[in-house]
Amino acid sequence: MRLGQRLSPRALFARLRYSRAVNTGVSWAPGVLLLSVVVALVGLYSVPAAVGLVAFAAAGAFVRGRSMLSQPVRDDPRVVQALRIARRELDALDNDVREETTQPDGPRGPTFRTLRTESPFGSAVTSVKYAGDAPLVEVEIEVGCMADLTFVVRRRRSVADLAPLVENTIVPGHRTELRLRRMPLPDSLTASFDAATSRPRWFRDLVDTGLASLLGELADDPHFRIEDLVFDQDRVRILFSAAGEPATSPWFYEVHLRAHRAAMVLHRLLVHATDGDHPDV
């Protein structure tokens, strides 16, 4: 009898009101939906399922409309320290910098700390990651012009454990679905990299007029070796593997010298090009 009283609609409603009074972050919409689910479960399935859902709500699971599963992951202390070192470098250069927190894979994805700075062409976003013990630095930087072109140059056997390029390789953050065609590279780069693009003729022209030389410069850099280079219409994203430990020594200035070099080369190659000069094949 006492169990029946606790599961009556009146008792459930009172309990939800009590939960809201204790935790002011609980929104009414999930509570009303939860009440409906509980009543349905009592009638259709089992008492234990209903009791479990009520306990889930009472524990504050729906806080500000988000599940406990969507809470940010704990920061890697190496990343926090590396960004602290970068900020010291930037403070010495009087560079305007903002530290941001993003979840690029949606509310349930991992949380990343990034630094946003200004480059000659626009904004640049920098992040530090680790593949096991291997430190990685990624810079996404605007190149100062727009092109209906996407390409990926990816290191084979990368320390970042990157997926191999295929015909339907996904470009993170791209607004529409793309089909990237695998492309050959010059013999000097074939042993190190694979490539794919949405505009084969345009990409071949870029390789012949300066992109191959840029990749050659970055391929075997003893301090920051390129692992992945993605150009997507108006910005380039470059992933470097660091020979040193960014959590213990300065790194930001040296990485951005290389990223700005890549952005300037791509700007020069793209600024005079048009879609009509490079038709699809």
Side-chain angles (χ1 to χ4, degrees):
M1 180 65 68
R2 295 177 63 186
L3 178 61
Q5 289 175 348
R6 283 201 298 269
L7 291 178
S8 68
R10 182 175 182 179
L12 289 172
F13 184 70
R15 185 163 185 175
L16 284 172
R17 290 187 61 188
Y18 174 76
S19 296
R20 186 173 186 270
V22 173
N23 187 349
T24 57
V26 178
S27 64
W28 271 109
V32 173
L33 177 60
L34 182 60
L35 179 60
S36 301
V37 172
V38 169
V39 173
L41 284 173
V42 170
L44 297 178
Y45 294 98
S46 65
V47 169
V51 173
L53 283 173
V54 172
F56 188 67
F62 293 104
V63 178
R64 294 184 177 88
R66 294 177 60 190
S67 164
M68 287 190 296
L69 297 176
S70 67
Q71 299 306 307
V73 297
R74 186 182 300 275
D75 286 325
D76 187 328
R78 297 172 297 181
V79 171
V80 174
Q81 181 60 24
L83 295 183
R84 185 177 293 122
I85 290 176
R87 291 191 67 110
R88 290 175 189 163
E89 290 187 77
L90 289 163
D91 288 343
L93 297 171
D94 291 328
N95 195 304
D96 183 26
V97 57
R98 297 194 305 275
E99 185 168 332
E100 301 176 343
T101 301
T102 60
Q103 289 179 283
D105 296 325
R108 296 190 180 184
T111 298
F112 294 103
R113 287 181 177 269
T114 61
L115 293 177
R116 182 179 295 273
T117 55
E118 293 303 314
S119 75
F121 301 122
S123 64
V125 179
T126 307
S127 61
V128 177
K129 310 172 185 178
Y130 283 84
D133 292 329
L136 305 169
V137 180
E138 185 174 83
V139 181
E140 180 177 311
I141 184 170
E142 295 180 359
V143 301
C145 59
M146 176 72 73
D148 184 18
L149 168 71
T150 298
F151 67 81
V152 180
V153 179
R154 182 161 296 174
R155 183 175 289 276
R156 297 182 176 183
R157 299 176 294 279
S158 169
V159 298
D161 194 26
L162 299 172
L165 292 181
V166 293
E167 291 292 320
N168 59 343
T169 293
I170 296 175
V171 179
H174 195 83
R175 293 175 290 275
T176 59
E177 184 176 347
L178 286 177
R179 178 179 178 272
L180 302 185
R181 179 176 298 185
R182 289 284 303 272
M183 294 293 295
L185 289 169
D187 292 342
S188 59
L189 299 173
T190 300
S192 299
F193 297 102
D194 290 319
T197 183
S198 63
R199 303 288 295 273
R201 291 186 183 179
W202 202 339
F203 179 75
R204 280 196 295 267
D205 189 37
L206 293 179
V207 169
D208 294 340
T209 56
L211 181 59
S213 298
L214 172 66
L215 292 171
E217 292 177 19
L218 299 175
D220 298 313
D221 189 300
H223 303 292
F224 295 96
R225 189 182 77 164
I226 187 172
E227 302 291 329
D228 200 37
L229 186 150
V230 180
F231 175 77
D232 189 13
Q233 298 189 338
D234 63 346
R235 64 194 62 225
V236 60
R237 188 173 67 255
I238 310 175
L239 182 67
F240 298 95
S241 57
E245 172 54 75
T248 59
S249 59
W251 55 273
F252 189 91
Y253 180 71
E254 291 295 329
V255 166
H256 272 254
L257 280 179
R258 293 156 175 79
H260 287 146
R261 163 71 174 154
M264 292 176 66
V265 169
L266 286 170
H267 176 85
R268 176 175 56 83
L269 295 177
L270 294 169
V271 69
H272 298 301
T274 65
D275 293 351
D277 295 332
H278 306 88
D280 294 330
V281 294

